[in-house]
Amino acid sequence: MADRIAVVDDEPEITDLIELYLKNEGYEVYKFYSGSEASAFLKREEPDLAIMDIMLPDIDGFALCRQIREVYTYPVIMLTAKDEEIDKITGLSLGADDYITKPFRPLEMVARVKAQLRRYKRYNQPQAPGAPEPAIELEHGGLMMDVKTHECILNEKPLALTPTEFEILRILLEHKGEAVSSERLFHEIWKDEYYSKSNNTITVHIRHLREKMEDMAENPKIIKTIWGVGYKIG
C-alpha cells in the first residue's frame, strides 16, 4: 500500500510540482490550497506524512502542525518562502520534523520525505525478524548521504568521494552542529593514536572535500573550521 502524503499550499504551481515528484515515487498525494480544507481532512484522516506551508490564507501551518501533534506522531515538513530563524524554531518547537525554504529543489524535497518516512517507520514499527535494516540517511541543506549505499548527493549532483572522505563527512553529519576535533576524526577513521602530523592528514582531506563540494575554503558554507578545535557542519 502506497504511503499517503498531505500537501498544503495556497500556490497551485507548488502543490502541483510536489504532487508530480511524489507520485513519480509511488506516493499517494492529497492536495489542499487552504488551511481550513486541510484541517477538515486531517481531523478525519491520518496520512503518513504532511507537507505544509506556514503562510496560508486562513489557518496557518503552525496551527495545523499543532492540531496534528495533539493526536498524531507522523512526520510534518514545514514549507515556507521565509528564511527566518524564528519561523524554523517555532515550527520545530510545535513538533515539525523538518523545514524546507522556498524555492526548493524537488529532488531534495523527495529525499527529505523518504528520510522522514524511513525514520518514522523505523522508530514506530517493530522490525520483522531477518528483515534488512532500513537505509540510513543524513542531510544538511542540499547535502544528502545514504550510509548504507555509500551515496552522497549535493544539490542533486552526485559526489565522487573516496572512502576516507565519505567517512569524514559522515562523522561531521552525524554530529551536525557540534565541533568535531581533528583528533577525534583521526582516531575514528584510522583507529590509531593522534600525533602532530595527523592534523595535516585531516586538513588535506577536508580541503579535497571542500573542492569537490565547491565549498570555498576562504568562506566555507558547509564544512566550517573551528580554529583550535576542528570542524563542524551546521
Side-chain angles (χ1 to χ4, degrees), residues 135-148:
I136 300 174
E137 287 195 357
L138 303 170
E139 59 85 18
H140 174 71
L143 178 63
M144 303 287 173
M145 173 180 282
D146 190 316
V147 177
K148 285 286 186 180

Side-chain angles (χ1 to χ4, degrees), residues 55-184:
M55 302 300 292
L56 294 168
D58 46 11
I59 303 173
D60 64 27
F62 292 143
L64 287 176
C65 184
R66 190 181 297 111
Q67 173 187 324
I68 290 170
R69 285 294 171 257
E70 288 176 353
V71 183
Y72 302 112
T73 59
Y74 59 77
V76 174
I77 298 176
M78 307 299 289
L79 184 65
T80 180
K82 297 170 69 177
D83 191 15
E84 297 181 5
E85 189 67 19
I86 187 63
D87 282 342
K88 182 175 183 179
I89 293 172
T90 301
L92 296 177
S93 67
L94 290 172
D97 299 277
D98 203 353
Y99 186 99
I100 301 177
T101 303
K102 300 176 187 176
F104 58 89
R105 295 178 175 84
L107 292 181
E108 178 185 342
M109 179 272 301
V110 170
R112 292 193 182 201
V113 166
K114 289 181 177 180
Q116 290 298 333
L117 286 171
R118 273 195 284 266
R119 292 188 190 111
Y120 179 64
K121 291 177 180 179
R122 183 167 68 245
Y123 290 118
N124 290 275
Q125 296 180 9
Q127 185 78 9
E133 289 293 324
I136 300 174
E137 287 195 357
L138 303 170
E139 59 85 18
H140 174 71
L143 178 63
M144 303 287 173
M145 173 180 282
D146 190 316
V147 177
K148 285 286 186 180
T149 62
H150 274 238
E151 294 176 319
C152 195
I153 296 174
L154 178 61
N155 298 329
E156 302 183 10
K157 296 180 180 179
L159 291 176
L161 303 181
T162 67
T164 299
E165 292 165 354
F166 188 94
E167 284 301 294
I168 290 174
L169 195 55
R170 176 188 63 80
I171 294 168
L172 293 175
L173 283 170
E174 286 181 345
H175 298 277
K176 186 168 64 172
E178 302 175 20
V180 181
S181 68
S182 299
E183 181 176 356
R184 181 175 180 179

Side-chain angles (χ1 to χ4, degrees), residues 193-209:
E193 292 300 318
Y194 183 84
Y195 52 96
S196 59
K197 292 185 179 180
S198 303
N199 188 53
N200 292 333
T201 302
I202 296 296
T203 301
V204 171
H205 285 292
I206 292 291
R207 186 176 75 241
H208 290 165
L209 272 169

Side-chain angles (χ1 to χ4, degrees), residues 212-224:
K212 291 182 178 181
M213 294 188 291
E214 298 180 354
D215 194 24
M216 302 302 292
E218 297 79 12
N219 185 29
K221 302 297 183 184
I222 302 174
I223 301 178
K224 299 176 183 178

